[in-house]
Amino acid sequence: MAAHLLFKLGQFRENGEFIDVRLKVNKSIFLAHRNVLAANSDYFHAMFKHGMKESNKKTIELKGENLSALGFKIIMDFIYSGELLVKEENVFEVLATANCLQMAIIVRQCCDFLDKEYIQGCMDIQTYLHLLQFADFHGLKDLKEATLCKMASVFKGVCESEEFLSKIDTDQFLNLLSRDDLSAPSETFVFKSVMQWIKYKKEERISVAAKIIGAVRLGLVDTKCVVEELNTEEMQRVPGIKTLCLETLVHSKMPSPSSKFSVEKTRPRSTTSVSNFSDL
């Protein structure tokens, strides 16, 4: 019954029957039925229900940098057929358009496609960083979490990739370092990777050094390594570094399980197998 209804609605659209709204995206015009749009999109439901000024127009122009005619065509075809034809070359346009129009089902299917084809397909770090930027820009929390989860599981490989030092930004790095499921040979490896990242663009990154180093669980790092890196004249001039170094030294000499440092900086990460890109 539902399939037959979709078939008939598709025929109506194709033949221009019972059309009560025309939608303009860029220079393209799409014929549609208001009730069908409202049933599939919270955006259109709110527009038609609450009498927004656009709702009474015969032709409604949809504007927004995240809307594309190609993405909208694929979405309209899905609404009237039940089949979403997303591919690598169009998935980002479809997802951005669907997210803008509050079409949760399509957003979920596009994110599932990206998870299967891009994230679990073990692409390179540049692809992961692109997905993180896209997810942040569009507020796609599930896509961001899936990407970070994958990067955390191959953190050693991430750190050994060419793009790690030059491409990953502060917020992306902090998101990874804060995770309990970060998979690394040791916390000392994590600390050394952080120091490499800071030194690669020292003039630019020294201002966030304390923030980044503070995300490392320093109570699990070899104390000698921490002192060698942080107890230098240059690093000691950075606000916050002296405190981190001192707290690590105090903890190594007189550990106090109830101290804030112990609670935050000695919590072990979950034990997971350490993977490299080449292993997957």
Side-chain angles (χ1 to χ4, degrees):
M1 185 67 180
H4 177 70
L5 177 60
L6 272 179
F7 176 75
K8 294 301 292 183
L9 288 171
Q11 279 192 325
F12 292 157
R13 181 176 71 125
E14 188 175 336
N15 298 330
E17 297 180 287
F18 313 112
I19 297 298
D20 58 3
V21 67
R22 288 167 172 77
L23 302 167
K24 183 178 181 182
V25 181
N26 298 330
K27 296 180 180 181
S28 300
I29 299 292
F30 300 89
L31 307 181
H33 306 90
R34 292 172 189 263
N35 56 351
V36 175
L37 293 173
N40 286 275
S41 163
D42 290 344
Y43 174 88
F44 285 118
H45 182 269
M47 176 186 289
F48 299 139
K49 180 180 179 180
H50 300 299
M52 295 167 62
K53 63 179 182 179
E54 298 91 346
S55 63
N56 295 319
K57 294 181 179 179
K58 290 184 179 180
T59 300
I60 299 173
E61 185 174 4
L62 302 177
K63 297 180 179 180
E65 61 178 326
N66 299 321
L67 294 170
S68 79
L70 172 62
F72 194 74
K73 179 184 184 305
I74 293 170
I75 287 171
M76 289 293 289
D77 290 343
F78 167 78
I79 288 175
Y80 282 94
S81 71
E83 185 178 6
L84 186 63
L85 300 176
V86 291
K87 299 179 288 187
E88 289 186 8
E89 54 263 36
N90 64 36
V91 63
F92 290 102
E93 286 186 75
V94 175
L95 177 52
T97 301
N99 189 57
C100 184
L101 298 177
Q102 300 172 40
M103 297 180 167
I105 293 176
I106 299 176
V107 169
R108 179 70 267 159
Q109 289 193 35
C110 287
C111 287
D112 287 345
F113 177 89
L114 289 173
D115 189 17
K116 179 181 177 182
E117 300 297 329
Y118 285 79
I119 300 174
Q120 303 309 324
C122 190
M123 303 295 285
D124 59 20
I125 186 173
Q126 197 159 343
T127 300
Y128 291 141
L129 297 180
H130 172 66
L131 287 171
L132 287 180
Q133 291 169 351
F134 184 87
D136 272 335
F137 184 81
H138 295 284
L140 299 166
K141 294 181 180 180
D142 289 346
L143 179 61
K144 180 178 180 179
E145 170 58 23
T147 306
L148 286 170
C149 182
K150 178 64 176 183
M151 291 180 72
S153 73
V154 292
F155 183 71
K156 183 174 183 290
V158 168
C159 294
E160 292 172 347
S161 68
E162 293 181 6
E163 296 87 356
F164 165 67
L165 295 175
S166 59
K167 300 293 185 182
I168 194 167
D169 65 31
T170 302
D171 288 338
Q172 291 165 344
F173 204 9
L174 282 172
N175 280 326
L176 277 174
L177 294 172
S178 67
R179 298 182 67 91
D180 285 336
D181 62 350
L182 192 71
S183 181
S186 67
E187 198 68 19
T188 298
F189 174 88
V190 175
F191 176 72
K192 288 181 177 180
S193 298
V194 164
M195 295 309 300
Q196 280 185 306
W197 180 85
I198 292 170
K199 292 173 183 178
Y200 186 78
K201 293 183 178 180
K202 188 166 59 176
E203 291 185 3
E204 175 186 326
R205 294 169 176 170
I206 198 70
S207 62
V208 297
K211 193 174 184 180
I212 290 286
I213 295 169
V216 179
R217 299 179 185 184
L218 294 173
L220 303 175
V221 178
D222 177 32
T223 305
K224 182 180 178 182
C225 183
V226 174
V227 173
E228 285 178 351
E229 292 286 1
L230 302 189
N231 194 29
T232 64
E233 184 177 348
E234 181 182 37
M235 291 302 294
Q236 289 287 300
R237 288 198 299 266
V238 179
I241 292 295
K242 185 178 292 186
T243 299
L244 289 172
C245 188
L246 180 61
E247 287 178 341
T248 304
L249 281 170
V250 170
H251 174 78
S252 68
K253 301 295 184 182
M254 298 179 294
S256 173
S258 60
S259 70
K260 183 180 179 182
F261 182 91
S262 290
V263 172
E264 296 179 355
K265 306 299 184 185
T266 65
R267 187 174 77 254
R269 303 186 190 270
S270 59
T271 53
T272 53
S273 58
V274 178
S275 300
N276 201 326
F277 287 136
S278 60
D279 299 329
L280 302 176

